[in-house]
Amino acid sequence: VKGDKHGAAPWQFFDLDSDPGQLTNLLDDPDYLDEIVRHHSELRAIIETGDDLFALEPAFGCDGINQPYVSPD
């Protein structure tokens, strides 16, 4: 999947308290950026500690993990 301005797509982020139907993607809402970064960082840490081979692309200024090697040529 090609990425967008956030990294790999599709990213989604919802406030389940105020939007239990998940109708409003808050990804572009600057009020949620810290929480979005926190979730991405936590997911990366879980993947890292569990020796999971899932590839998490870098996004939101956070590093990815287990990304496939791409030759610079």
Side-chain angles (χ1 to χ4, degrees):
V1 175
K2 294 277 185 186
D4 61 10
K5 67 181 179 178
H6 301 296
W11 286 100
Q12 297 180 345
F13 193 83
F14 302 100
D15 182 338
L16 298 180
D17 290 331
S18 65
D19 181 20
Q22 301 176 9
L23 301 175
T24 304
N25 187 356
L26 299 170
L27 206 59
D28 291 319
D29 187 328
D31 292 338
Y32 287 87
L33 181 60
D34 289 343
E35 194 66 15
I36 291 166
V37 168
R38 184 179 72 80
H39 277 77
H40 189 279
S41 297
E42 284 185 16
L43 178 56
R44 187 185 191 288
I46 290 168
I47 292 169
E48 206 169 27
T49 59
D51 293 325
D52 194 328
L53 297 179
F54 179 80
L56 179 66
E57 297 291 329
F60 318 106
C62 301
D63 292 334
I65 189 168
N66 298 332
Q67 298 164 52
Y69 174 76
V70 177
S71 174
D73 295 340

